[in-house]
Amino acid sequence: MRYSECYAVTSHDVDVNNNMKPSLILRYMQETANHQMRDRKPSYYELFFSGKSFILTRVTIEIYEQLHQYDQIQVDTWRCPEKGATFIRCFEILRDGKTAARAYTVWAVTNHETGKLCKANEVDISNYETEEPLTLELPTRFRLAKDLSFTKAGVKEVFYSDVDMNRHMNNTNYPDMLWNFIPDVIEKQVTSVNLRFMKEAPLGAEVEVYCAKMDEPLEQDTAAEETWCFYSLVNGEVNVEAQIGMRSL
């Protein structure tokens, strides 16, 4: 069983080519998850004020159809059976009944008073709609190839408007932050996003972004014409690693 919400894509959600920005795809997904938490309990706020927070560790998004302003979309989400201290949640975005994007996400729950991870039996989310996880074409685990020649693309300062209740840059900001550094991005569209979060970027931190283009696009992303790889540093430590698939308009 899935939890569903319907939305109209706004004019502020799209780029100059009228395609939904990659961060907005993730935001609509996570907004739906928050609605499920609000309606089924415990809500995000109830968990937070009880000392627990969901932290995204990995996300894999496959984009099959570009979404445009004023499109009417349905976003489905569901909890998947937990494994130890690993919480899996999946998503699907539909337009006119046809799948436009899907995602597989992996979360941890931290006790923000002790800093320790919570096991599944310490977080009762049994009221959430539950199904088995999606099987995507993209690998939900990846490693950046060691032979890639990364160059420094730029630096992003974490401003107050970037952070969430945990006081670090919200995970939905990362796809757009990295996408901005892809050369000639105005002539391209996104086919996939794969992110691995390793260290938080707190308010006031500087995020150094490094990028490299793979010689050939990622094999499993059959729609991509090129794959861009990224890693970022915060205080000299790896903050996030990513692969973003792109194709020409």
Side-chain angles (χ1 to χ4, degrees):
M1 186 179 295
R2 302 181 177 191
Y3 180 93
S4 301
E5 283 283 16
C6 294
Y7 308 92
V9 178
T10 78
S11 59
H12 301 286
D13 298 335
V14 298
D15 64 10
V16 298
N17 296 305
N18 196 26
N19 292 326
M20 186 183 281
K21 301 169 187 175
S23 277
L24 269 296
I25 292 175
L26 188 55
R27 284 178 194 165
Y28 275 108
M29 290 176 171
Q30 291 194 25
E31 182 65 16
T32 305
N34 285 343
H35 285 200
Q36 183 194 39
M37 296 175 74
R38 175 199 66 194
D39 293 344
R40 302 296 183 250
K41 307 297 181 186
S43 69
Y44 180 87
Y45 287 100
E46 287 167 340
L47 277 174
F48 186 87
F49 291 114
S50 71
K52 300 180 179 70
S53 295
F54 273 99
I55 304 295
L56 184 62
T57 60
R58 288 185 282 124
V59 57
T60 303
I61 303 173
E62 295 180 345
I63 301 169
Y64 314 115
E65 300 284 344
Q66 296 297 315
L67 296 169
H68 313 300
Q69 61 178 323
Y70 310 131
D71 279 352
Q72 300 290 325
I73 61 173
Q74 174 182 312
V75 184
D76 295 345
T77 188
W78 60 99
R79 158 208 176 208
C80 304
E82 292 82 28
K83 299 177 181 179
T86 299
F87 297 77
I88 300 169
R89 176 180 283 277
C90 290
F91 300 90
E92 186 168 22
I93 299 180
L94 300 100
R95 177 182 55 198
D96 298 328
K98 184 177 180 181
T99 300
R102 300 194 301 170
Y104 179 105
T105 64
V106 180
W107 302 75
V109 175
T110 62
N111 182 317
H112 51 74
E113 295 174 354
T114 67
K116 295 181 179 180
L117 294 180
C118 299
K119 294 182 180 179
N121 60 10
E122 298 177 80
V123 185
D124 184 7
I125 53 175
S126 56
N127 286 336
Y128 298 177
E129 284 85 348
T130 306
E131 279 191 12
E132 290 299 311
L134 291 170
T135 300
L136 301 182
E137 294 297 323
L138 283 176
T140 56
R141 293 180 180 271
F142 71 95
R143 295 286 182 184
L144 298 178
K146 294 182 179 179
D147 59 352
L148 289 171
S149 297
F150 284 90
T151 58
K152 188 172 183 178
V155 177
K156 156 70 178 171
E157 182 178 349
V158 181
F159 293 109
Y160 180 71
S161 59
D162 297 317
V163 302
D164 53 27
M165 291 177 65
N166 295 301
R167 298 197 176 195
H168 60 251
M169 188 159 78
N170 186 271
N171 65 72
T172 64
N173 289 326
Y174 282 88
D176 279 3
M177 180 187 76
L178 302 175
W179 174 65
N180 282 331
F181 290 112
I182 294 176
D184 303 316
V185 68
I186 195 172
E187 301 170 4
K188 303 170 184 177
Q189 58 189 23
V190 180
T191 59
S192 66
V193 178
N194 216 341
L195 294 166
R196 185 161 72 103
F197 296 92
M198 303 173 71
K199 179 180 172 60
E200 298 172 351
L203 177 63
E206 287 191 345
V207 182
E208 300 176 46
V209 179
Y210 295 81
C211 75
K213 182 183 176 184
M214 294 176 59
D215 291 336
E216 298 292 335
L218 193 67
E219 181 181 359
Q220 296 92 334
D221 187 354
T222 57
E225 296 172 353
E226 56 189 38
T227 300
W228 288 86
C229 296
F230 296 88
Y231 72 87
S232 58
L233 300 178
V234 173
N235 296 324
E237 297 184 74
V238 178
N239 159 238
V240 69
E241 294 182 342
Q243 295 174 328
I244 299 180
M246 303 291 294
R247 69 180 177 195
S248 301
L249 293 171

